[in-house]
Amino acid sequence: MVGIYIGSTTGYSGKNLLAMSLGLKFRNSGFNVGYMKPVGAVPHMDSGKPGDADAAFIQQVLGLEQDPVKVTPVLVTRDFTIKAFSEDMGDLMPSVVESYEELSADKDVMIIGGSGSYLSSGTYCGVSGPDVARALGAKTVLVDRYSSELHYDYVLRVHKELGDDFLGVVFNDVPEHYMDELTSLIIPFLEKRGVKVLGIIPRDPLMGAIKVSDLAERLFGKIISAHAKADRVVENFLIGTMQVENFITHFRRHKNSAVIVGGDRADVQLVALEGNCPCLILTGNLYPNDIILTRSEVLEIPVIVVRDDTYAVAKKMEAIQESYKLRDMIKINHGAGLVNSELDYDYLYDELDL
């Protein structure tokens, strides 16, 4: 049996997607696959037992039915954090190891999901990524998501700390404009220093997409028209604060983008509706006039009204796109296909003796 620990340079880097992709790939190749998330940060009740919501969902995707308490023996709740800061928690690792041994007993491959940042998260209570991976005898795959740049210093630190137990890094959500620098400069630099780059996952609009209904909920807004089309998908967003002539130019380049605009900007609202945007997000808690509402209903384009100003909504949208969880099987299958087409499985099979 082999264990693969999936860590990341920062939170929301793609650990869950990689866990599901690897698990599905190994399962489809005939291996008996198990899953564990030793440290959970999204508490949730599963069949009356405490567990981690992400771990429960990944088990569902992989067709596993395991005790949530065993899957996530360390569950970080508010009470847990207070206790960890105010008194001695003792050694949490024995319970992690015991659960792992039980879950992996009849498995060929165990996928171990990390939480937060690999090197630092969990250090305060003795269950950081490297500590857990070593205790379980697992090898580590690191995920690094592009955000203005890649975290190559962090990757080198992990390589230095783990040595042969570091399988390599997967670069995720890499935009097209950065590909040349990555392939011609950064990857050769890392590989010269012994770091294996297992794959490059290109940016894909669908992976950051969100349904209009979910978007309204996350923005604490209200859908006021075309409710039947609340399942439309938003892939990006565009701010409509500019003059309408300039907005038209930008809008033509950003199809399938939600338009964030003040509730008093009927000129921009009408252009967005006639251009078939997936939804309008009106800021400042201002409702549109009757013409806009009528066109919205006729064109079946939902309108969301939110209290925040345009700048605050734009910042929230950026955060939502970075952190929106995978819960749609269409998106999961698409993402797994994207990941598994780019990963160097020949290298993984060889290194893991599979």
Side-chain angles (χ1 to χ4, degrees), residues 144-158:
D144 183 28
R145 182 178 184 181
Y146 178 88
S147 179
S148 301
E149 63 177 1
L150 293 170
H151 304 87
Y152 33 81
D153 281 337
Y154 193 111
V155 175
L156 289 170
R157 284 178 58 203
V158 172

Side-chain angles (χ1 to χ4, degrees), residues 65 99 102 107 117 134-135 150 156 169 172 174 241 248 299:
E65 293 184 7
S99 295
E102 183 176 326
K107 302 297 189 293
S117 167
R134 287 193 193 98
L150 293 170
L156 289 170
V169 62
N172 186 28
V174 180
T241 55
I248 292 171
L299 297 169

Side-chain angles (χ1 to χ4, degrees), residues 278-329:
C279 79
L280 270 179
I281 303 171
L282 306 188
T283 62
N285 206 31
L286 296 173
Y287 280 62
N289 63 39
D290 290 342
I291 295 174
I292 296 298
L293 278 175
T294 300
R295 291 306 291 162
S296 166
E297 293 288 0
V298 170
L299 297 169
E300 298 185 312
I301 296 173
V303 174
I304 303 172
V305 173
V306 297
R307 290 185 176 275
D308 291 324
D309 61 40
T310 301
Y311 176 78
V313 173
K315 296 301 290 182
K316 284 184 178 180
M317 285 289 289
E318 289 178 353
I320 289 169
Q321 286 186 306
E322 286 189 3
S323 65
Y324 188 59
K325 294 182 181 298
L326 294 168
R327 287 292 184 269
D328 189 309
M329 283 309 299

Side-chain angles (χ1 to χ4, degrees), residues 187-261:
I187 290 178
F189 169 81
L190 291 174
E191 293 191 335
K192 259 193 262 185
R193 284 152 181 78
V195 176
K196 172 65 178 177
V197 177
L198 295 168
I200 305 169
I201 314 305
R203 177 164 294 173
D204 188 295
L206 181 59
M207 299 311 297
I210 181 172
K211 290 180 181 178
V212 170
S213 56
D214 293 336
L215 182 57
E217 182 179 344
R218 294 289 295 273
L219 293 174
F220 301 102
K222 179 182 180 182
I223 300 175
I224 63 168
S225 67
H227 296 83
K229 293 299 179 178
D231 59 349
R232 291 189 70 167
V233 171
V234 174
E235 293 180 359
N236 212 327
F237 69 93
L238 185 63
I239 301 172
T241 55
M242 62 199 78
Q243 293 298 317
V244 69
E245 295 81 7
N246 294 332
F247 173 76
I248 292 171
T249 301
H250 285 279
F251 183 61
R252 285 172 178 163
R253 297 176 188 158
H254 298 84
K255 293 296 183 183
N256 215 26
S257 295
V259 175
I260 304 170
V261 61

